[in-house]
Amino acid sequence: MSAQGKVISTTKLPPGFIRKGFPRTWYHPRWRLLTWYPRGVLNEVFADQVIEFIEMEERIQEAPFDRYADLSGLTHIRIGIDHIIHTARRRRKVKQPVKMALFADNPMSFGIAHSYAFKERKAAAHWLEVPLKTLECPS
């Protein structure tokens, strides 16, 4: 209870992650790591929303943060090569270096993410320098 007689909640979010403002994303402050577990279809509009979310987070965070995306929940990827090239050029302008790991468990998602993808979560955790448990989907 505070000095004014108000009850103060001692309930805290579970340690290790804080829910962020984008579906199926979590931020792990200890590791400065944003994890994302998309589901369904990844198309150009959805990809643009993801990039805009990341750029917004980059502007408000005090320090750069690494990223991990588990693409195993995707049923389809509908992104043209021209959109991938445009996005890569857009992201090249980032001022602070960060690590990005994409986990792909099938040829479809691995083909899109081939330059960043990992076939094993263990390899992604090693690359990001975080415990393997950190990359498990909390839900």
Side-chain angles (χ1 to χ4, degrees), residues 15-18 20 25-36 54 57-58 60-69 96-101 124-125 127-131 134-135:
F17 67 88
I18 298 172
K20 298 302 277 184
T25 62
W26 285 266
Y27 183 68
H28 304 264
R30 179 177 179 189
W31 307 107
R32 286 194 221 132
L33 176 69
L34 180 78
T35 57
W36 180 46
I54 288 173
E57 288 293 321
E58 288 173 339
I60 64 174
Q61 293 290 329
E62 295 177 12
F65 57 93
D66 294 330
R67 299 88 199 254
Y68 170 78
Q96 297 178 323
V98 297
K99 292 180 183 178
M100 172 69 182
W127 164 250
L128 293 167
E129 300 174 21
V130 300
T134 305
L135 302 185

Side-chain angles (χ1 to χ4, degrees), residues 1-58:
M1 202 174 280
S2 73
Q4 290 87 15
K6 295 180 183 176
V7 176
I8 298 173
S9 173
T10 58
T11 305
K12 295 181 181 179
L13 290 174
F17 67 88
I18 298 172
R19 183 78 178 178
K20 298 302 277 184
F22 197 80
R24 301 192 55 77
T25 62
W26 285 266
Y27 183 68
H28 304 264
R30 179 177 179 189
W31 307 107
R32 286 194 221 132
L33 176 69
L34 180 78
T35 57
W36 180 46
Y37 304 88
R39 299 282 182 251
V41 178
L42 178 62
N43 59 25
E44 292 177 359
V45 172
F46 188 28
D48 287 341
Q49 290 172 345
V50 171
I51 296 301
E52 288 169 15
F53 170 74
I54 288 173
E55 289 173 345
M56 178 187 69
E57 288 293 321
E58 288 173 339

Side-chain angles (χ1 to χ4, degrees), residues 54-95:
I54 288 173
E55 289 173 345
M56 178 187 69
E57 288 293 321
E58 288 173 339
R59 286 189 298 272
I60 64 174
Q61 293 290 329
E62 295 177 12
F65 57 93
D66 294 330
R67 299 88 199 254
Y68 170 78
D70 181 336
L71 305 180
S72 63
L74 295 177
T75 57
H76 294 85
I77 296 178
R78 296 186 181 133
I79 299 178
I81 190 68
D82 56 333
H83 192 268
I84 293 170
I85 291 169
H86 170 75
T87 301
R89 286 183 179 152
R90 175 179 173 175
R91 296 301 301 155
R92 206 179 284 166
K93 298 174 185 175
V94 174
K95 296 175 183 163

